[in-house]
Amino acid sequence: MSGRKVYRRRRHAIMAMLVALMVAWFSVSAWTAQIARSDVGASNVTSYTVKPGDTLWSYAARITPQGHDVSETVDELIALNDLDSGSLRAGQRIVVPNE
């Protein structure tokens, strides 16, 4: 056999092994896959209608339990309401967690 034929056979054998390994890996991955669950349950929330003069910080300060960080409440309100900033408008309704 010529050197070129041996090289081709080895190359084909290596490619076949790689394909077999990939098939095995995908099979195991599919068999052990689990559904991702990010929803841990319904949140207990209420709504609040923003009054003239309210800011997100002032409202968060009113509802933050004593000894807790107001900035964490602000971050939570921004996330719950999908706000781009901390700006509020009078009459705007925001979702507020019940605690």
Side-chain angles (χ1 to χ4, degrees):
M1 244 192 253
S2 72
R4 188 172 256 183
K5 284 184 179 180
V6 171
Y7 174 75
R8 278 192 205 150
R9 284 186 180 208
R10 284 184 183 165
R11 188 173 61 173
H12 288 293
I14 291 171
M15 291 301 286
M17 287 178 20
L18 287 174
V19 168
L21 285 172
M22 287 175 46
V23 168
W25 183 76
F26 283 120
S27 297
V28 169
S29 296
W31 184 54
T32 60
Q34 296 180 2
I35 297 173
R37 298 187 189 276
S38 60
D39 182 18
V40 293
S43 298
N44 192 10
V45 295
T46 189
S47 66
Y48 173 75
T49 303
V50 177
K51 295 178 176 47
D54 277 346
T55 64
L56 194 58
W57 187 269
S58 67
Y59 179 69
R62 287 198 311 258
I63 66 168
T64 301
Q66 189 171 0
H68 288 84
D69 189 358
V70 176
S71 65
E72 289 178 8
T73 304
V74 169
D75 291 342
E76 185 177 13
L77 290 172
I78 288 173
L80 275 173
N81 293 283
D82 196 26
L83 299 173
D84 293 330
S85 70
S87 301
L88 298 176
R89 302 179 317 278
Q92 178 180 0
R93 293 183 68 121
I94 58 172
V95 176
V96 181
N98 281 338
E99 295 198 31

